[in-house]
Amino acid sequence: ICSSKPIMVMQGGQNASIPTKISPQSHIFAQNYSTDKWGCHFVVPRTAQQDYDVVRFTAAENNTVIRRGAVVDTVLNQGGTYEMQIDWFMIGADVLSFTTSKAAYCQLYLSGSSANDNGLGSPALMPIVPLELSLRTLMSANYEFEKDAAANINYIQENYYICVVTPTEGIGTMLIDGQLVNQTLFRPAGMTWRGRPYSYAVVPVTAGVHQLDNPSCSFVAYNYGLARYRMAGEVARPTESYAYSAGSR
């Protein structure tokens, strides 16, 4: 897609099942990044309370090498895609780091509840921001799950998170709403870029808008929510999820 003036492109689908044949189905959507915003260094932390995630890469040029750590997973040509279904228990880790030899686009798909032992989760989609687009300040909106009294929907569990990825040297200056993030939440990300090792933290937060700052270095961030609800007269406990990148350069 090319245009003579600025445009925004959205992608999505109805009744998506992630992974295939996993319930529940849900609509997913996300804003596409233009190719000048694609990058080569990606940190993919495990989604909180999820056993299973799916990551997908799209190449901008021919002969794009996709590496997971030091392992070459595949080589893509322009427009080609590579999808990896991540069983976090099987790989024995809570984070994966990827590098690409040329600019690529990375997306993370949250799985349906039947893929998770706790029965929590619904398909959702978010771009993984490359480290090349990191910033020192961001506004993160953790949307509150809508209460529908008319439909007698009763939320019995709501969890909201912000995930930050920052150079390890910046752990001690990472702020959310003016408060230092608990340093014990940070874990090594398995990524070194421009000579600096990176770490990540998954931070529980409340619903609402949050200010993220790090005066010593730039970072990337994501926000997502998971909920469980019951409708009047039903025994089943349906679940909902959403996920978004907090923003980029």
Side-chain angles (χ1 to χ4, degrees), residues 183-216:
Q183 294 188 35
T184 64
L185 295 177
F186 284 93
R187 300 288 184 271
M191 168 70 77
T192 298
W193 181 52
R194 293 183 174 175
R196 297 194 295 181
Y198 275 72
S199 296
Y200 76 97
V202 178
V203 186
V205 296
T206 58
V209 177
H210 300 279
Q211 175 77 35
L212 283 67
D213 299 283
N214 196 327
S216 69

Side-chain angles (χ1 to χ4, degrees), residues 28-66:
I28 58 174
F29 63 93
Q31 179 181 343
N32 274 13
Y33 284 21
S34 57
T35 52
D36 63 320
K37 299 294 185 182
W38 294 13
C40 298
H41 298 82
F42 305 89
V43 174
V44 182
R46 174 181 179 175
T47 306
Q49 302 189 65
Q50 302 286 278
D51 303 329
Y52 208 100
D53 289 316
V54 177
V55 66
R56 175 181 287 179
F57 286 88
T58 303
E61 300 180 51
N62 291 337
N63 299 314
T64 298
V65 180
I66 310 294

